Amino acid sequence: MAETETIRRTFQEPGMSGYSSSVERQQQLYKRSLLVVVLSQIFGGAGLAAGVTVGALLAQDMLGTDRYAGIPAALLTLGSAASALLVGRLSQRFGRRLGLSAGFLAGGIGAFGVAASAFVNNIWLLFASLLIYGAGTSTNLQARYAGTDLAKPNQRATAISIAMVATTFGAVAGPNLVDAMGRIALSVGVPALGGPFLLAGAAFLMAGLVLLILLRPDPFLIARSLESPVRDRQMDTAGRVEGGHAENKRKLIVGSTVMILTQIVMVALMTMTPVHMMHHGHSLQEVGLVISIHIGAMYLPSLVTGILVDKIGRTAMSYASGAVLLAAGILGALAPADSMAALIIALTLLGIGWNFGLISGTAIIVDATSPATRAKTQGKIEVLVALAGASGGALSGMVVAHSSYAVLSLAGAILSLLLIPVGLWSRKAGG
């Protein structure tokens, strides 16, 4: 206990008490913290793109079969699940700065490990490194919560959106650098498919360092110090008390379900799209273009999504998520395999639907929690979201191997329809 308290004091910056009496200082710190998160997300976005773009292709190349092409997505999302819990607990105890920087630094080490596995052609090193690399992808998503710690209720979804927009810059650039990083990798003796992971390693390390150095004072520690027990007792009557602090259980279930469903659909279709394209004569450069547009669609709509979620409501945007994902699945099933335009539109819709679901679901989770348990609860929910992605990634390869990409797309479309009853139930929670 003494050691824990020493670490806590180390990461609890001086001058925290000065924020309790000044709303203006709180808002200034909110804006500054959001700016730091934005900077880290630019680097983090570049880091997460590598696994999406070439992870399945690297495994396919090593294993010589498509049957297990979904395993890389499953492994990195399993790693993401484990790290989500750890990052959440670290953040709850010591603040966002330590929790998030540790997650990004671990992700960078994992990315370099993937590149090393390509160099020595070792499938087991690849699998182990992908698990660690998952820490970076998980942390990149969890960083969005840091922008909400000092946000007012009507600023929360907008704050989430701003953080996610920042991810767009790196996430779109990453896939388009596949060829360039492949050439760099070849120049140092690493296979071309390992190149993007060299970029990912450097990007994740930079994201971690930005947060470690600049996220001071820690917004979560400030928010927790400002928490009022009276406010907790005044929470929605649907809430439950955990450790003396209220959580709205119904809203937690709704927000989690929205994010889980959208994650399964998005990961499943995104994972198998590169393999589907390569089977039908598309080049690696074309794969990179489609995935970069898809990732852009995952994050760029955040420019307006957060405002819409704050203005017209969380539930309405979860309905919109289901509708857009349904359209993406249907188009993916019907699109000619050799049509770049159709694939681009389908993957764009897939990204937009995921964006709507993630931001509306995240806002519901923040609304339903108090600072006393928020980071830990968010970490637990991110575990469920990551496991959902892992199952979607693992099953996607098997579905395509035994049927077709069209069947996988239709399955995703059907699954997205479940967001409608979830939205109806959420109205009872005031969503």
Side-chain angles (χ1 to χ4, degrees):
M1 291 296 292
E3 183 180 351
T4 297
E5 190 60 33
T6 299
I7 298 174
R8 189 198 305 274
R9 285 197 301 267
T10 300
F11 284 90
Q12 182 166 328
E13 295 82 354
M16 288 177 60
S17 59
Y19 290 90
S20 60
S21 58
S22 174
V23 175
E24 182 179 355
R25 286 196 69 192
Q26 294 170 25
Q27 283 295 292
Q28 288 174 348
L29 181 58
Y30 156 66
K31 294 175 181 177
R32 183 181 182 279
S33 299
L34 191 56
L35 181 62
V36 174
V37 170
V38 163
L39 183 57
S40 74
Q41 291 295 83
I42 293 174
F43 290 111
L48 67 87
V52 172
T53 309
V54 300
L57 298 176
L58 187 57
Q60 179 191 31
D61 186 57
M62 286 189 181
L63 293 168
T65 177
D66 296 341
R67 184 179 297 272
Y68 304 108
I71 295 298
L75 287 171
L76 70 88
T77 45
L78 282 172
S80 175
S83 65
L85 190 62
L86 293 174
V87 169
R89 290 185 178 276
L90 280 173
S91 298
Q92 185 68 54
R93 180 167 295 183
F94 306 116
R96 302 285 188 191
R97 185 165 72 94
L98 177 60
L100 295 176
S101 59
F104 273 130
L105 294 175
I109 293 170
F112 286 129
V114 173
S117 73
F119 178 71
V120 299
N121 194 32
N122 188 312
I123 193 66
W124 299 111
L125 178 58
L126 171 67
F127 288 165
S129 298
L130 283 168
L131 281 170
I132 303 172
Y133 169 76
T137 63
S138 169
T139 306
N140 190 75
L141 278 175
Q142 283 208 59
R144 73 191 188 276
Y145 290 114
T148 68
D149 288 326
L150 290 173
K152 297 176 182 177
N154 63 352
Q155 294 176 320
R156 286 169 177 165
T158 302
I160 296 164
S161 289
I162 291 171
M164 290 183 64
V165 168
T167 309
T168 307
F169 297 104
V172 172
N176 283 301
L177 292 173
V178 166
D179 280 347
M181 291 306 300
R183 290 192 294 271
I184 292 173
L186 288 172
S187 70
V188 295
V190 176
L193 290 176
F197 286 96
L198 294 175
L199 172 65
F204 279 156
L205 292 178
M206 285 300 299
L209 289 173
V210 165
L211 291 167
L212 187 62
I213 295 170
L214 299 179
L215 196 63
R216 303 187 67 155
D218 191 299
F220 181 75
L221 297 180
I222 297 292
R224 196 169 63 188
S225 72
L226 297 172
E227 183 183 22
S228 167
V230 175
R231 184 182 62 186
D232 292 330
R233 291 195 295 270
Q234 292 175 339
M235 279 190 72
D236 194 299
T237 55
R240 64 181 175 87
V241 174
E242 180 178 295
H245 299 274
E247 288 184 346
N248 190 307
K249 188 175 182 180
R250 182 185 290 270
K251 284 187 176 181
L252 287 176
I253 293 172
V254 170
S256 301
T257 304
V258 169
M259 290 194 289
I260 286 169
L261 288 174
T262 53
Q263 186 77 355
I264 291 174
V265 174
M266 189 276 293
V267 172
L269 295 182
M270 178 184 64
T271 297
M272 293 311 298
T273 296
V275 176
H276 173 66
M277 291 181 67
M278 295 294 281
H279 276 172
H280 290 86
H282 294 282
S283 67
L284 189 59
Q285 186 174 6
E286 289 175 324
V287 171
L289 175 62
V290 170
I291 295 300
S292 68
I293 292 173
H294 163 69
I295 295 178
M298 288 171 63
Y299 293 99
L300 196 56
S302 302
L303 288 165
V304 295
T305 303
I307 296 172
L308 291 173
V309 172
D310 280 333
K311 296 293 184 183
I312 69 176
R314 281 61 162 145
T315 303
M317 292 305 292
S318 69
Y319 288 148
S321 173
V324 177
L325 288 174
L326 175 66
I330 293 174
L331 181 57
L334 299 177
D338 59 352
S339 173
M340 276 286 289
L343 286 171
I344 286 173
I345 295 172
L347 268 290
T348 297
L349 291 173
L350 183 67
I352 293 172
W354 177 86
N355 178 272
F356 288 177
L358 186 76
I359 293 179
S360 59
T362 300
I364 293 170
I365 296 301
V366 176
D367 292 343
T369 55
S370 70
T373 58
R374 180 169 293 155
K376 182 172 65 175
T377 300
Q378 289 165 346
K380 291 177 181 177
I381 291 170
E382 291 298 310
V383 170
L384 298 177
V385 174
L387 289 175
S391 63
L395 293 173
S396 64
M398 297 179 185
V399 170
V400 172
H402 288 91
S403 54
S404 67
Y405 181 80
V407 170
L408 178 68
S409 298
L410 287 176
I414 294 170
L415 194 59
S416 67
L417 290 174
L418 294 177
L419 288 169
I420 295 175
V422 171
L424 292 173
W425 193 60
S426 75
R427 290 191 177 278
K428 297 180 181 180

